[in-house]
Amino acid sequence: MASQREWFEKDYYKVLGVKDTADAKEITKAYRKLARESHPDTHPGDSAAEERFKEVSTAYDVLGDEAKRKEYDEVRRLGPAMGGFGGGGGPGGPGGFNFNVGTDGMSDMLGKMFGRSRRGGASSGAGPGRGTDIEATLTLDFVDAAQGMTTTLHLTADATCSTCGGSGAKPGTQPKVCSQCGGRGVVDDNQGLFSFSSPCRVCAGRGVVIEQPCPTCRGGGVERRPRDVQARIPAGVADGQRIRLKGRGAPGRNGGPAGDLIVECHVTPHPLFGRDGNNLTVRVPVTFAEAALGGDIDVPTLEGPTVMLRLRPGTQSGSRHRVKGKGITTPKHIGDLIVTVDVHVPSHLTAEQRAAVEALAAATTVSPRMPTPGSKGRD
Ligand SMILES: [Zn+2]
Ligand SMILES: [Zn+2]
């Protein structure tokens, strides 16, 4: 495990036997060769080879990652001149400099670097770590999406271990405070001129030592299991929208905060209504007479009761009409209902209707018969 100190102490270029100007290809090539030579599989029981393999892997972990290598180079470049950040003197001994983690400029920089490599929890066990985000999908019907709902999501994901309650210790036993670091998770190390705080090697920075690990989670405090999460879906959620539920993801490590639960919403279509942002849309058929003469028509709403829409005489088929406040209501916005009027042409006429339409036809003149502008022959 790489500690912060190693960034100052170790010359990873030397470990891999490359110049510090080597390009990525050369570095990878050197690493592969050395890793093969020292691989524990080919040297069973040889602890020197194992150490060598670890060293080579650690070096490549940094130099093989373009971003990490840049930071490493920067640290090495700044290293000897960094003393000023420690404020001089201090517990580092006479004339020494104290690089306490998390208290000054240098350590902020280191903290950032290690925060980045800590993702997933594999590369550094030191200190608390935020849990990972969990993604889930939720299919909800149109009305629930429009009005908002509370639902239970059934997930199978990392959760606090139910056997040990997350402590990692076998039930009936307790994690012991680490005797090496006294529970701080870091140890101070005087090295002549410099004093460093580095993660405690005994407890891997956790501050506690688990002597009898929990059989379910093997000491990790986390198990993969089904669990139910109550989720509040806000009104007006759209198809494909992702909702972040803070702190409902995987539990953090070593007392760190939990990750988030990200719910991707799939909204099933409605037989009558559509959505346009927070506006609802609906198409309503009207008779030719209603369109031509004007009149009041009943329009369905998502909540149930119909509302009255007054059509002016001469309303055109396909025209859109707004019913205020009958759309989707969110805390920030009240949407409208947009009604598109379709003039319905009957496919069958009674004798009486036929006579009426014929009378209308006789009374109607379209002269000269001109195409409607903009229609370009479609429809
Ligand atoms: Zn457990
Ligand atoms: Zn410790």
Side-chain angles (χ1 to χ4, degrees):
M1 183 176 307
S3 75
Q4 286 93 328
R5 281 186 51 191
E6 278 176 7
W7 285 54
F8 294 95
E9 287 181 350
K10 286 266 164 74
D11 186 343
Y12 291 144
Y13 292 102
K14 213 164 155 190
V15 170
L16 294 183
V18 294
K19 289 206 191 86
D20 60 6
T21 52
D23 63 21
K25 246 179 161 173
E26 288 171 66
I27 287 170
T28 302
K29 203 174 146 199
Y31 162 69
R32 290 219 176 107
K33 181 167 169 287
L34 292 168
R36 235 187 352 259
E37 284 170 0
S38 60
H39 200 280
D41 288 356
T42 55
H43 304 271
D46 182 347
S47 60
E50 198 184 321
E51 261 322 296
R52 177 85 186 122
F53 179 73
K54 272 190 204 156
E55 205 183 7
V56 165
S57 302
T58 305
Y60 184 67
D61 205 20
V62 174
L63 298 187
D65 180 319
E66 201 188 318
K68 272 196 216 164
R69 181 182 174 186
K70 241 184 173 158
E71 287 166 345
Y72 174 69
D73 288 345
E74 191 74 356
V75 166
R76 271 161 47 94
R77 197 173 63 75
L78 295 173
M82 291 303 278
F85 284 109
F97 303 111
N98 191 1
F99 288 2
N100 268 319
V101 175
T103 55
D104 57 39
M106 185 68 225
S107 3
D108 283 353
M109 191 172 163
L110 288 167
K112 249 190 282 166
M113 287 178 230
F114 281 83
R116 199 172 303 155
S117 65
R118 200 179 277 158
R119 260 189 71 91
S123 59
S124 171
R130 184 178 173 276
T132 50
D133 293 341
I134 295 174
E135 300 202 5
T137 56
L138 172 68
T139 300
L140 63 172
D141 78 32
F142 190 91
V143 177
D144 289 338
Q147 296 177 344
M149 69 183 299
T150 301
T151 187
T152 304
L153 300 169
H154 309 282
L155 308 170
T156 298
D158 284 351
T160 302
C161 174
S162 57
T163 306
C164 63
S167 75
K170 189 174 160 187
T173 72
Q174 293 280 330
K176 292 239 161 66
V177 173
C178 174
S179 56
Q180 180 72 24
C181 62
R184 291 173 57 222
V186 292
V187 286
D188 293 331
D189 192 357
N190 283 339
Q191 289 266 316
L193 190 63
F194 298 106
S195 167
F196 294 94
S197 290
S198 57
C200 172
R201 284 168 207 274
V202 173
C203 63
R206 297 178 65 164
V208 291
V209 174
I210 294 162
E211 286 170 340
Q212 291 176 277
C214 163
T216 305
C217 63
R218 276 172 270 136
V222 170
E223 69 171 327
R224 204 170 166 76
R225 63 177 156 89
R227 68 182 167 124
D228 290 345
V229 175
Q230 290 288 317
R232 170 90 199 129
I233 306 298
V237 71
D239 187 38
Q241 193 175 328
R242 291 153 68 86
I243 293 168
R244 184 176 285 269
L245 301 169
K246 277 232 159 279
R248 312 303 286 275
R253 288 173 301 103
N254 307 334
D260 298 338
L261 175 62
I262 296 160
V263 182
E264 186 172 314
C265 294
H266 294 290
V267 181
T268 54
H270 193 278
L272 288 184
F273 294 96
R275 286 265 305 264
D276 181 6
N278 283 326
N279 291 335
L280 291 172
T281 59
V282 69
R283 300 186 82 95
V284 175
V286 298
T287 64
F288 175 77
E290 284 169 327
L293 303 175
D296 295 342
I297 60 167
D298 286 333
V299 174
T301 64
L302 196 60
E303 299 98 83
T306 58
V307 290
M308 193 263 283
L309 176 67
R310 177 154 293 173
L311 298 181
R312 283 202 307 264
T315 294
Q316 298 298 307
S317 188
S319 59
R320 288 154 64 87
H321 307 263
R322 186 178 295 267
V323 181
K324 278 261 173 216
K326 290 294 175 185
I328 290 167
T329 303
T330 69
K332 284 186 196 151
H333 187 84
I334 297 174
D336 301 328
L337 176 62
I338 308 295
V339 182
T340 302
V341 166
D342 283 327
V343 173
H344 177 69
V345 178
S347 43
H348 298 287
L349 294 173
T350 64
E352 194 186 356
Q353 287 167 342
R354 185 172 186 85
V357 174
E358 280 170 352
L360 174 68
T364 307
T365 47
V366 182
S367 183
R369 189 181 288 277
M370 292 292 289
T372 311
S375 71
K376 300 201 173 152
R378 277 177 295 161
D379 294 340

